Amino acid sequence: MDGTSRTTGTSGTAPPAAAPATVPVQTPLTLIMKIKSPEDYQALRQMLDHLQSLPDTDNPIRAALNRVATVHFARFVFLEDNTKLAIITTFDGDFDTYIKDFVEQISDVFNRLLAHMEDAPPLPVEKYREEFGAYIKKYDAPSLQPFYSAYPNLTVLDIQAMAEAQGMGQA
């Protein structure tokens, strides 16, 4: 062999061509915001630790995520020696609907978070929706494409329905 031949399957034929890439129904968001000061970091940390320690039924973030029912994953991460806060999510659908849902469901949390950020949009976000959306777009670190999804055609609701059918619904 000259080292240039294709690997063949067990039948001696060439492996099948890769299936055409599909565009996932999920969309990634990596919002990276600069925190105003060390004191603002402390206030943010205290607020997020408190909210995240609450039971799911009392946690406004988890309650909003459950009501919106389009978010696959969401997390907060402090970056660069606690000078930046990242909100990393994967959601179903388009950006404008996602932002609208969050303004309607959890604007009070965003108002509290954004009060500690440099270059924040005018507050309250429910009054300045367009500016809030523009801010999110401006500070969203775009993902390299293609965006990988193990289940590119399934929404949160699809996955929840399958889990429910298997007796593995949300606890």
Side-chain angles (χ1 to χ4, degrees), residues 72-138:
H72 292 261
F73 307 100
R75 62 190 174 130
F76 296 98
V77 180
F78 286 102
L79 303 170
E80 297 183 25
D81 294 323
N82 303 321
T83 61
K84 294 182 179 180
L85 175 65
I87 300 175
I88 304 166
T89 68
T90 301
F91 62 93
D92 296 330
D94 68 274
F95 177 83
D96 292 330
T97 302
Y98 177 70
I99 295 304
K100 177 183 153 289
D101 288 343
F102 275 87
V103 167
E104 291 173 2
Q105 296 293 328
I106 197 167
S107 59
D108 56 328
V109 172
F110 277 107
N111 290 330
R112 292 171 58 194
L113 286 173
L114 291 168
H116 299 285
M117 301 302 165
E118 287 186 5
D119 194 30
L123 301 175
V125 297
E126 57 272 26
K127 182 177 179 183
Y128 298 100
R129 294 169 184 253
E130 287 183 27
E131 293 87 345
F132 177 61
Y135 175 84
I136 303 297
K137 285 180 182 178
K138 180 178 180 180

Side-chain angles (χ1 to χ4, degrees), residues 57-76:
T57 55
D58 297 332
N59 182 322
I61 298 166
R62 290 185 183 274
L65 292 172
N66 287 331
R67 281 190 306 273
V68 169
T70 59
V71 178
H72 292 261
F73 307 100
R75 62 190 174 130
F76 296 98

